[in-house]
């Protein structure tokens, strides 16, 4: 036991400060949308309720949920020709991937951020496309409609994700306008 502190001083390793690391993660992951400056912190220690998790448990939950979501989305590409399996795997993988951030910030804050005015339209379009994809696959059994709904779902997810990066949606909008402007 006495050897480790001496070794630490000899090698001059800085002491590990977990609170400082969490503060850096908070600064990294807190997003304001399109520059409107929301001060939402992902890894706040104020986890309340019956199911409070440690920071390490939250990180493991986030990684496991994200990995499972990405795995389901990858597996959906294998069964692309079967619209029911494709839509189920892709949609549930997509929802798991988005839900993984609830481990970092908690479900209540996740829902509040999803219903933030900056993200409300993207969230509702994404949710509508998720429901539409499942309806097209499970009830209508149409491959074409299912693929169209999945494409709309993916576009809505990208637009939703861009809302967490300041000025990203404005930049993408301007690029799309320049690319699609066909004045002769």
């Amino acid at each position: 036991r006495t050897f480790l502190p001496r070794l630490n001083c000899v090698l001059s390793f800085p002491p590990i400060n977990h609170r400082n690391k969490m503060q850096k993660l908070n600064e990294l992951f807190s997003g304001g949308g399109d520059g409107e400056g929301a001060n939402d912190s992902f890894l706040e220690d104020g986890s309340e309720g019956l199911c409070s998790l440690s920071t390490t448990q939250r990180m493991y939950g986030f990684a496991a949920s994200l990995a499972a979501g990405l795995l389901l989305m990858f597996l959906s590409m294998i069964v692309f020709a079967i619209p029911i399996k494709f839509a189920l795997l892709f949609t549930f993988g997509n929802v798991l991937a988005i839900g993984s951030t609830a481990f970092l910030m908690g479900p209540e804050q996740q829902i509040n951020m999803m219903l933030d005015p900056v993200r409300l339209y993207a969230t509702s379009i994404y949710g509508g496309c998720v429901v539409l994809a499942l309806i097209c696959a499970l009830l209508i059994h149409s491959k074409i409609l299912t693929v169209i709904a999945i494409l709309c779902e993916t576009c809505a997810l990208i637009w939703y994700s861009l809302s967490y990066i300041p000025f990203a949606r404005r930049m993408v909008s301007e690029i799309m306008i320049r690319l699609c402007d066909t004045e002769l």
Side-chain angles (χ1 to χ4, degrees):
R1 287 186 171 196
T2 59
F3 180 71
L4 286 178
R6 245 189 270 152
L7 181 65
N8 198 10
C9 293
V10 170
L11 297 176
S12 69
F13 287 128
I16 297 173
N17 185 354
H18 293 292
R19 184 169 299 283
N20 194 15
K21 286 183 180 182
M22 297 295 20
Q23 192 173 28
K24 287 181 182 178
L25 279 174
N26 280 335
E27 292 170 5
L28 177 69
F29 285 124
S30 62
D34 287 335
E36 295 180 9
N39 291 327
D40 298 322
S41 177
F42 274 37
L43 296 172
E44 289 180 351
D45 288 337
S47 57
E48 300 160 0
L50 298 174
C51 186
S52 61
L53 301 173
S54 72
T55 304
T56 305
Q57 291 171 331
R58 288 193 239 169
M59 294 300 278
Y60 285 141
F62 166 74
S65 182
L66 182 63
L70 293 175
L71 179 68
L72 285 176
M73 285 190 283
F74 174 73
L75 289 175
S76 72
M77 299 303 164
I78 295 172
V79 294
F80 181 75
I82 307 168
I84 294 174
K85 287 183 182 179
F86 171 70
L88 287 175
L89 286 174
F90 187 82
T91 300
F92 289 132
N94 221 337
V95 170
L96 263 176
I98 281 191
S100 66
T101 56
F103 280 102
L104 294 178
M105 61 183 136
E108 183 179 340
Q109 188 175 2
Q110 170 77 20
I111 291 171
N112 288 338
M113 289 180 74
M114 289 178 80
L115 298 178
D116 188 46
V118 173
R119 297 177 192 92
L120 184 60
Y121 294 121
T123 301
S124 58
I125 291 171
Y126 172 74
C129 289
V130 165
V131 171
L132 184 65
L134 292 174
I135 288 173
C136 289
L138 297 174
L139 298 178
I140 300 174
H141 300 288
S142 172
K143 290 181 184 180
I144 294 172
L145 292 177
T146 302
V147 170
I148 291 171
I150 292 291
L151 288 174
C152 292
E153 177 182 332
T154 304
C155 290
L157 177 63
I158 290 169
W159 191 252
Y160 168 78
S161 299
L162 287 175
S163 71
Y164 285 97
I165 304 168
F167 303 108
R169 292 201 289 188
R170 183 179 301 160
M171 197 168 34
V172 169
S173 294
E174 289 175 5
I175 290 170
M176 293 305 291
I177 289 171
R178 287 184 185 154
L179 288 176
C180 296
D181 189 18
T182 58
E183 283 187 41
L184 296 176

